[in-house]
Amino acid sequence: MLRWKYSRPLLAILIPLLFASPLLGNNPLSHPGLQQTMAVAFLYGALALTYDLLFGFTGLLSFGHALFFASGMYLAVLFINHDVLVWWLAVIAAVAITTILAILIGSASLRTGGITFAMVTLAFAEAGHVVISRNFGGLTNGENGIALNADKVPGIFIGVFNTKYLFWISLGTLVLVYFITWWITESSAGRVFAALRDNETRVAVLGLKPARFKLLSFVIAAGMASFIGVVMLMVSGSAAPRFASSDVTIALLLMVILGGAITRWGAVIGGIIYSVASTRLQDLSQSTALHSVPKIISGPLSEPTFILGLLFIFVVMFAPGGLSGAYYYLRLKVISKK
Amino acid sequence: MDTFLLIGITGIGLGALYFLVASGLSLIYGLMGVLNFAHGSFLTVGAFVGLWFSSQVMHVSNTWTFIGAMVLGGLAAGLFALLVERIVISRLYERHIDQALVTVGIALVVGAVLAGWFGNDLRLLPTPAWFINTVTIGSAHIPVDRFLYIGVALILLFANTALLRFSRIGLVIRAGVENRQMVAALGINVRLAFSTVFFLGGFAAGVGGVLVSAYSNGVSPLIAGSYLIYGFIVVVIGGMGSVPGSFLAAMIIGIIKQYANYYSPGLGDFVVVFLLAGVLLLRPQGLLGKVKA
Amino acid sequence: MNVLSVKDLHVKINESHILHGVSFEVPTHSVTALLGRNGVGKSTTLKAIMGLYPSQGVIELNGSSIAGKLTYKIAQDGIAYVPEDREIFSSLTVKENLALATRDEKDIARQELVQALFPELTTRAAQRAGTLSGGQQQMVAIARALVNKNEIILIDEPTKGLAPKLVTEVADALGRVAGETTMLLVEQNLPLVKRIAQHVIVMDQGRVVFQGGPENLHDPEWVHTMLGVSGGHN
Ligand SMILES: Nc1ncnc2c1ncn2[C@@H]1O[C@H](COP(=O)(O)OP(=O)(O)O)[C@@H](O)[C@H]1O
Ligand SMILES: [Mg+2]
């Protein structure tokens, strides 16, 4: 783990700097374009962190995490647009209902374990995706998604001129999720999660119910994901079915593995880099540099998932710690040389 | 009545396609504990090789061309699966989570390569002229391709069953699904069985890929998506490692899905997931699965 | 001459150190009993020899090292294993269970030997092994080890959980086998051990604490201190 000794001063400088940067004269983060990109990236960093809690810290390979993200998003937009609840109550209700949904789905899925659990969560999430994208019940507007009705939320949540507010809200969400995750994983429940990952029988022998702790981790991660979904609704201005697809969960897996699991900051960095890179790789694919290369090579290279997939295979097979693992490895080498 | 019959038989045909995907997933999981996300790529590889054969090699789309496409698609996918097992999976022996993750990576890379080469648009797979015929049962006109899917699935079910029941390697596979370590303790190299199930699973998925392309009127890197997920659901409901269980579950799911979708579009997926939840609550080992020791 | 010799064997599973340097020999054409209270590491020792658990230390079969080899190669080298919970393949028939284990199908003499030892298995050849009684399942497990010509058979608590009548049956079978082959037998049933074992090894807390002849088994006090059971009668 990144020790407080190192991270506390670093974070104490970095976070206020990030918060202040939209106001600090002319710098990259004073432009709405990058603010928007970074707002999205912060949210994916936070989402990846909740997935790290589930997969990295507790050892639950869930393929259904996107469902809770999307559920928060859709419930909030429905409550707000249809005047069911005032916006801040809608946010609370969206998170609360998603948490209950997570309890139900978690209880059913956790009757299985390991690899079967992965399959089952995938199936549940797919059902959610279908419900949303097929406009089941006529509520979700199918593939087109639902735009957030701008009149029903405070102005700071809307529009290009207010991007800096969204930037702040996203950064705040990331910081909040980071501290909640930090607090949980360092708490006694967090130690139980870690023990579950390493050796379930040992936890059972201590008289603790493994199933209950797994469910706790599952539900906490889902609850936070739903809140991040609500914030994503503000940032992107609409709810869309792509947020519910298993592609999102697979992307989360890539973020956590590439960034490095069980280090918290690895998942956050992984999420931020992935989010920014997938926008940038898209640009690269349209770049002219590739035109001179034969299609048999340029074709795959123009697909962002080609490089990411290869990198992912490489990391899983040969460098299981990912980015943060490599950092600790190098630091250990430097320290032992001294 | 005729709509009822048409939907039912279409459902069985769809179930047959699910079975082609699920049988391999189930054996691979049952024997090796590998959750194979790359199985959808096997299907896609089979579909593209089938497309290549029917449109580039052969210039008439008759029955033989189609059979050739299925066989070649199956073989290509089987060989690809074999390579995946040998080069990647076997290096992560007993690291089940990593094996699952690495298959996710393979699926991404294969999808990207095929999309980069051919784009994501549907390309028409040439089919024999009789594909558009219908068979009349009572007053119902049932497209003849549905029977083809059912027939191919049955042939593969029987071939699979015969191999498992009567051959030495089949004996090793059945024993290995139950208790792999004990098979090794009897002096048997289980790795050969691993490669065999990957090849067989890949073959069935490849054949399935050609049929799926015929059913959905075209080939694209994206056709495998929902079949893979349904394959997983079939495996869980049918019971891990049980090929007959997969067959039973695939049929049930295909039929239920079609009727539910007829009643209200989109309802099918929903009902299937409820079925899955029910099975998990009442019988977590699946319909024909065994509780592992 | 020793068939099997184990020196300084260590096994760690998930950070817990289970065997702390186990050393012993199994002489040729003998029955060697491996005794000890529950949880001292007897089963773990057998599994480590079979390569089913990773271990450190020396394991030699007829003088050549088998440590670190793959399980199936160890078995092919001539070590048969009858595990504690029998682990027969319950969905396979009796015949299939035996066919799976048979490495040399032309060795008719061996198959006849097995048939002679366990005539009941021949009559139940087509029955699924999972539907057999506990005693019959144990017969299958032992027969599976006997269908091949082996250097040594490792047998883990073959009479565990069996009704007294079946214990006698299994014991008789083992007694008849004992003359033919070398055996390392883990067993709680002392009368059986006294009847067939020529050597005794006692383990405690992951170590060997005694290695010698079976005479001591007739001394109740020794048995009580070594094995924690009131000795003699069982
Ligand atoms: N797979 C395992 N994981 C962790 N501990 C184990 C495992 N198998 C056995 N043990 C522990 O190792 C010790 C020895 O077990 P075992 O070899 O089965 O003893 P015995 O056969 O002498 O009764 C016991 O304390 C047991 O709890
Ligand atoms: Mg034991």
Side-chain angles (χ1 to χ4, degrees), chain B residues 251-263:
Chain B
M251 293 302 143
I252 294 175
I253 287 174
I255 295 169
I256 289 185
K257 188 182 169 193
Q258 284 307 103
Y259 281 121
N261 273 342
Y262 176 71
Y263 184 74

Side-chain angles (χ1 to χ4, degrees), chain C residues 31-47:
Chain C
V31 174
T32 301
L34 181 58
L35 309 178
R37 295 165 223 247
N38 270 330
V40 297
K42 306 179 297 290
S43 301
T44 306
T45 305
L46 299 197
K47 285 190 174 156

Side-chain angles (χ1 to χ4, degrees), chain A residues 176-261:
Chain A
L176 179 70
V177 169
Y178 191 92
F179 277 99
I180 294 177
T181 310
W182 175 80
W183 180 68
I184 291 169
T185 49
E186 298 295 315
S187 71
S188 46
R191 291 209 194 92
V192 178
F193 295 159
L196 279 174
R197 179 187 70 232
D198 297 334
N199 187 348
E200 198 170 311
T201 30
R202 200 155 61 194
V203 175
V205 167
L206 291 174
L208 299 164
K209 294 220 167 54
R212 211 171 284 172
F213 277 91
K214 285 186 191 169
L215 185 61
L216 187 64
S217 171
F218 188 88
V219 171
I220 293 173
M224 289 197 291
S226 72
F227 179 71
I228 299 166
V230 176
V231 182
M232 187 65 94
L233 171 70
M234 312 288 177
V235 170
S236 68
S238 62
R242 69 188 162 87
F243 291 114
S245 93
S246 55
D247 293 352
V248 172
T249 307
I250 287 180
L252 291 178
L253 203 54
L254 262 70
M255 294 170 193
V256 172
I257 300 276
L258 294 180

Side-chain angles (χ1 to χ4, degrees), chain C:
Chain C
M1 184 60 204
N2 299 319
V3 176
L4 183 72
S5 110
V6 173
K7 286 187 207 102
D8 201 28
L9 187 69
H10 289 260
V11 170
K12 289 193 190 100
I13 301 173
N14 298 331
E15 309 297 306
S16 52
H17 206 150
I18 296 174
L19 298 187
H20 307 260
V22 168
S23 305
F24 61 84
E25 282 86 37
V26 179
T28 312
H29 286 300
S30 73
V31 174
T32 301
L34 181 58
L35 309 178
R37 295 165 223 247
N38 270 330
V40 297
K42 306 179 297 290
S43 301
T44 306
T45 305
L46 299 197
K47 285 190 174 156
I49 295 172
M50 285 311 292
L52 292 167
Y53 282 155
S55 62
Q56 284 85 50
V58 179
I59 310 170
E60 286 175 349
L61 181 68
N62 290 326
S64 51
S65 171
I66 56 164
K69 275 190 163 185
L70 291 175
T71 298
Y72 83 95
K73 293 222 164 106
I74 294 173
Q76 287 175 355
D77 285 348
I79 305 188
Y81 175 50
V82 182
E84 185 163 6
D85 297 311
R86 309 192 259 274
E87 302 194 29
I88 54 157
F89 302 102
S90 53
S91 66
L92 272 51
T93 64
V94 171
K95 194 178 166 188
E96 286 173 333
N97 265 280
L98 297 183
L100 186 69
T102 308
R103 292 203 292 275
D104 181 3
E105 278 163 24
K106 291 186 216 87
D107 192 349
I108 306 291
R110 284 240 139 225
Q111 288 162 31
E112 281 169 355
L113 171 82
V114 172
Q115 281 170 8
L117 276 173
F118 307 109
E120 203 176 347
L121 297 186
T122 316
T123 55
R124 294 181 181 274
Q127 191 173 337
R128 276 178 18 141
T131 63
L132 297 172
S133 73
Q136 290 158 346
Q137 293 192 2
Q138 189 63 61
M139 304 278 184
V140 173
I142 296 172
R144 213 166 49 173
L146 294 175
V147 289
N148 298 302
K149 185 173 159 2
N150 284 307
E151 303 296 322
I152 182 172
I153 303 180
L154 315 179
I155 307 187
D156 200 348
E157 303 208 19
T159 63
K160 184 177 146 190
L162 296 185
K165 183 176 156 291
L166 294 173
V167 171
T168 321
E169 269 183 49
V170 171
D172 285 346
L174 288 178
R176 273 175 287 159
V177 178
E180 320 268 334
T181 174
T182 310
M183 210 190 290
L184 178 61
L185 172 69
V186 175
E187 185 51 80
Q188 304 282 8
N189 181 333
L190 286 187
L192 171 59
V193 172
K194 281 186 224 166
R195 197 175 119 198
I196 64 175
Q198 292 92 47
H199 303 276
V200 170
I201 301 164
V202 179
M203 284 181 68
D204 194 23
Q205 298 187 5
R207 290 183 177 84
V208 170
V209 291
F210 174 83
Q211 186 166 4
E215 320 75 49
N216 286 319
L217 292 176
H218 297 278
D219 174 359
E221 207 160 312
W222 186 91
V223 167
H224 185 72
T225 44
M226 281 298 196
L227 306 174
V229 289
S230 46
H233 303 292
N234 191 38

